[in-house]
């Protein structure tokens, strides 16, 4: 076999392959054997039909077609390996010449990873938000905890803002009560916005036994997105009562003995959260600066595939679980279809560039992934997908996606190397030391193009 490579552009090549006919012998033998098992010829036992009879009865062309289909993947792979190409996706193969007993010639056009040069990135500088926790932040945090320990007391009066009402609901669309449109004994805090639009105005002013009807667009269920006539009946009105903010509350709501200790712990927790947010912000901004330094051609076919994958995951995984259509989602987001298309394309381009650049850094820095790192990453992916680690691991293995997870971890480590060498200052001009940050945190900022794909595939497997 002889092969040659022609560069069509920085991300696509054409392989020209010439195969001497004798190298097709194994595939021809396999073709005759396969046809032998599929056909019946009077006078011959199944599987024992001579090759000349198969040629006469079914045509030599059918045998050649079967043999070529069997042989092409092998010769294509040999040509790719010989040229040391890093191919992306499936090739477009064209048989240019097939002469029985002489030769098989074909071409294969395929996308390849572009050659990337990583310049010196040690001079990257970024600014991030300063970590500042105010007394107001602490008070808000404690107040949220206080809300969680609120109690309710039934009252005999009309419902007001902040009250907890128990209601029965019935939804009709076009005059018909929906099968899933009846719910009894629903507890709702007026003003929380956790149920249907319009319910607050409907129930305010009603006492127990009171009833009202209002129109609202259903957020989920069989008629999601449709206008419904909703009848709400109040069966109980209860007043919410917050506990006093004192040492007794601290002992009830936490492991601390005093309110001051509880507030100090809240401040520390808020500081830790803001430090995490600051580190994530630094990683994202360092990545953006890195991508600005590198020229990265993006294969058009790969880009289109990535755009389609992102759309599919949004529509069939995220929105599907919320009972929303894409049109409804765009309406809620206040976006046009064109804006959505542009944003999806931009995100896909960034994801692909990120993957290419960080993969090149993995090679350049000679980074490896050990079993412990892979296991920790798998546990986090499982948690974010809502699956158990065992379920997620099984799905990933069965889908053959372990290399994708390894790539995600390696890219996270590569970004950590860049972040460590960058200068990160906060808005107060203070230099932030991120050298102790766990490399795992960089994986979210890195946004590899195949991260969403691997997660979605694992979800699909679990659903199947």
């Amino acid at each position: 076999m002889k092969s040659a490579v022609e560069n069509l552009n920085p991300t696509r090549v054409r392989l020209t392959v010439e195969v001497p006919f004798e190298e097709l012998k194994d595939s021809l033998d396999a073709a005759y054997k396969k046809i032998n098992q599929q056909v019946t010829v009077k006078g011959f036992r199944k599987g024992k039909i001579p090759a000349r009879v198969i040629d006469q009865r079914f045509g030599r062309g059918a045998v050649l077609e079967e043999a070529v289909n069997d042989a092409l993947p092998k010769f294509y792979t040999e040509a790719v390996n010989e040229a040391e190409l890093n191919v992306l996706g499936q090739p477009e193969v064209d048989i240019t010449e097939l002469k029985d007993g002489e030769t098989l010639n074909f071409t294969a056009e395929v996308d390849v990873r572009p050659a990337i040069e990583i310049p010196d990135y040690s001079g990257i500088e970024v600014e991030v938000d300063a970590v500042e926790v105010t007394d107001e932040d602490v008070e808000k945090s404690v107040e949220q905890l206080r809300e969680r320990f609120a109690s309710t007391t039934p009252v005999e009066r009309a419902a007001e803002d902040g009250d907890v009402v128990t209601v029965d609901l019935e939804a009709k669309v076009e005059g018909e009560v929906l099968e899933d449109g009846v719910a009894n004994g629903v507890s709702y805090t007026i003003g929380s916005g956790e149920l249907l639009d319009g319910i607050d105005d409907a129930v305010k002013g009603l006492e127990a036994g009171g009833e009202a009807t209002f129109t609202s667009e259903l957020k989920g269920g069989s008629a999601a997105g449709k206008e419904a006539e909703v009848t709400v009946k109040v069966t109980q009105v209860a007043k919410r009562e917050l506990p006093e903010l004192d040492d007794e509350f601290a002992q009830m709501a936490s492991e601390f003995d005093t309110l001051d200790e509880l507030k100090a712990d809240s401040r520390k927790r808020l500081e830790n959260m803001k430090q995490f947010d600051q580190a994530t912000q630094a990683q994202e901004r360092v990545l953006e600066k890195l991508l600005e330094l590198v020229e990265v051609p993006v294969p058009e076919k790969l880009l289109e595939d990535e755009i389609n994958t992102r759309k599919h995951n949004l529509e069939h995984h995220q929105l599907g679980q919320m009972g929303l259509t894409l049109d409804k989602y765009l309406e809620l987001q206040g976006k046009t279809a064109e804006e959505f298309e542009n944003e999806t394309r931009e995100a896909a381009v960034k994801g692909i560039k990120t993957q290419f650049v960080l993969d090149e850094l993995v090679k350049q820095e000679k980074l490896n992934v050990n079993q412990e790192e892979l296991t920790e990453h798998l546990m986090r992916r499982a948690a974010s997908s809502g699956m158990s680690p065992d379920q997620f691991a099984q799905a990933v293995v069965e889908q053959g996606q372990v290399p994708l997870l390894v790539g995600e971890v390696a890219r996270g480590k590569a970004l950590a190397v860049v972040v460590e060498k960058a200068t990160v200052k906060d808005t107060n001009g203070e230099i932030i030391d991120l050298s102790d940050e766990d490399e795992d945190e960089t994986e979210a900022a890195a946004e590899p193009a195949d991260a969403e794909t691997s997660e979605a595939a694992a979800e699909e497997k679990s659903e199947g």
Side-chain angles (χ1 to χ4, degrees):
M1 186 195 80
K2 293 193 301 183
S3 64
V5 179
E6 177 187 357
N7 293 314
L8 302 177
N9 61 46
T11 63
R12 194 165 180 83
V13 299
R14 179 188 291 124
L15 284 164
T16 301
V17 183
E18 298 179 11
V19 183
F21 203 79
E22 56 266 23
E23 293 186 30
L24 283 172
K25 183 180 184 307
D26 289 344
S27 293
L28 278 169
D29 291 344
Y32 279 116
K33 185 174 181 180
K34 182 175 181 180
I35 293 173
N36 239 309
Q37 299 300 321
Q38 294 175 338
V39 301
T40 302
V41 175
K42 190 175 181 179
F44 296 96
R45 285 184 297 162
K46 197 173 186 69
K48 299 296 183 180
I49 308 169
R52 59 178 176 76
V53 175
I54 289 176
D55 288 346
Q56 291 168 359
R57 295 290 299 269
F58 304 102
R60 173 71 166 176
V63 179
L64 288 175
E65 182 180 356
E66 182 68 38
V68 168
N69 288 338
D70 175 74
L72 276 178
K74 180 184 71 171
F75 292 125
Y76 165 73
T77 301
E78 286 181 12
V80 166
N81 293 338
E82 188 177 283
E84 297 182 344
L85 298 175
N86 196 339
V87 299
L88 301 165
Q90 296 301 312
E92 294 180 6
V93 177
D94 181 28
I95 298 173
T96 55
E97 186 176 23
L98 175 59
K99 290 186 177 179
D100 194 0
E102 295 183 29
T103 186
L104 163 66
N105 298 336
F106 68 91
T107 61
E109 288 190 16
V110 66
D111 287 334
V112 293
R113 279 184 180 252
I116 297 174
E117 270 191 44
I118 307 291
D120 179 21
Y121 50 81
S122 59
I124 289 178
E125 294 186 11
V126 297
E127 184 181 73
V128 295
D129 296 335
V131 172
E132 295 174 346
V133 177
T134 65
D135 291 343
E136 185 180 347
D137 293 332
V138 175
E139 294 300 329
K140 183 178 178 182
S141 175
V142 173
E143 190 62 28
Q144 288 173 344
L145 182 62
R146 188 183 178 204
E147 290 277 349
R148 286 169 50 193
F149 283 85
S151 59
T152 57
T153 303
V155 292
E156 294 184 6
R157 60 164 172 76
E160 302 172 355
D161 265 327
D163 284 345
V164 178
V165 290
T166 304
V167 297
D168 296 337
L169 297 165
E170 181 183 85
K172 292 181 180 178
V173 173
E174 298 177 354
E176 295 291 329
V177 178
L178 300 171
E179 286 187 14
D180 55 355
V182 177
N184 295 322
V186 177
S187 181
Y188 175 66
T189 302
I190 300 176
S192 66
E194 293 174 350
L195 272 178
L196 298 167
D197 293 338
I199 192 171
D200 289 343
D201 292 335
V203 297
K204 275 192 291 188
L206 295 181
E207 297 184 20
E211 189 174 296
T213 300
F214 63 100
T215 301
S216 183
E217 184 178 294
L218 299 178
K219 296 179 180 179
S222 61
K226 293 184 177 180
E227 288 288 326
E229 183 183 87
V230 182
T231 300
V232 55
K233 181 179 180 180
V234 176
T235 59
Q236 178 180 278
V237 178
K239 180 182 179 181
R240 296 181 76 250
E241 296 178 342
L242 297 174
E244 291 294 325
L245 278 179
D246 52 22
D247 292 347
E248 186 177 338
F249 167 71
Q251 293 164 17
M252 173 181 67
S254 71
E255 70 270 31
F256 302 105
D257 293 327
T258 68
L259 184 60
D260 287 342
E261 289 175 330
L262 173 60
K263 288 183 176 180
D265 181 70
S266 295
R267 183 178 295 275
K268 182 63 178 175
R269 288 175 186 271
L270 290 171
E271 286 175 352
N272 289 340
M273 288 171 57
K274 292 200 173 189
Q275 285 170 351
F276 181 87
D277 291 343
Q278 184 189 64
T280 301
Q281 189 180 64
Q283 291 151 6
E284 290 172 348
R285 293 183 179 179
V286 167
L287 175 61
E288 288 172 4
K289 290 281 188 180
L290 176 64
L291 294 180
E292 290 173 7
L293 293 176
V294 188
E295 186 68 30
V296 186
V298 176
E300 193 58 36
K301 179 68 168 60
L302 179 66
L303 175 58
E304 292 306 315
D305 288 346
E306 179 63 17
I307 289 172
N308 291 334
T309 295
R310 287 172 181 262
K311 288 180 179 177
H312 176 86
N313 290 345
L314 175 66
E315 289 191 66
H316 298 278
H317 294 282
Q318 300 169 42
L319 299 184
Q321 291 174 359
M322 295 187 287
L324 290 176
T325 63
L326 180 59
D327 288 342
K328 185 60 182 176
Y329 167 76
L330 295 180
E331 181 184 328
L332 293 173
Q333 293 289 314
K335 294 177 184 175
T336 65
E338 184 179 2
E339 287 171 335
F340 170 71
E341 290 288 338
N342 290 338
E343 287 179 8
T344 304
R345 177 171 285 270
E346 287 175 11
V349 167
K350 181 184 177 184
I352 292 170
K353 286 185 174 181
T354 296
Q355 182 173 329
F356 285 172
V357 170
L358 294 183
D359 281 349
E360 187 63 31
L361 270 169
V362 169
K363 285 169 38 181
Q364 185 173 301
E365 299 290 340
K366 296 180 173 61
L367 300 175
N368 295 309
V369 176
N370 60 42
Q371 185 61 47
E372 183 180 354
E373 292 167 333
L374 181 60
T375 300
E376 289 176 359
H377 180 65
L378 187 147
M379 299 279 281
R380 281 189 302 278
R381 282 280 181 226
S384 66
S385 69
M387 299 168 63
S388 73
D390 286 346
Q391 285 177 322
F392 188 83
Q394 181 181 358
V396 167
V397 169
E398 290 180 3
Q399 290 286 312
Q401 294 188 339
V402 172
L404 296 183
L405 292 188
V406 172
E408 291 170 15
V409 179
R411 284 188 281 275
K413 296 178 73 170
L415 181 56
V417 170
V418 182
V419 171
E420 189 173 345
K421 292 184 179 179
T423 300
V424 181
K425 293 182 180 180
D426 67 17
T427 48
N428 295 328
E430 297 289 330
I431 293 180
I432 308 300
D433 181 12
L434 296 173
S435 59
D436 292 333
E437 292 296 331
D438 191 337
E439 286 122 0
D440 299 332
E441 294 175 10
T442 64
E443 289 161 10
E447 292 182 31
D450 55 10
E452 294 181 15
T453 306
S454 64
E455 214 165 282
E459 288 173 10
E460 286 180 353
K461 183 65 181 175
S462 71
E463 291 164 6

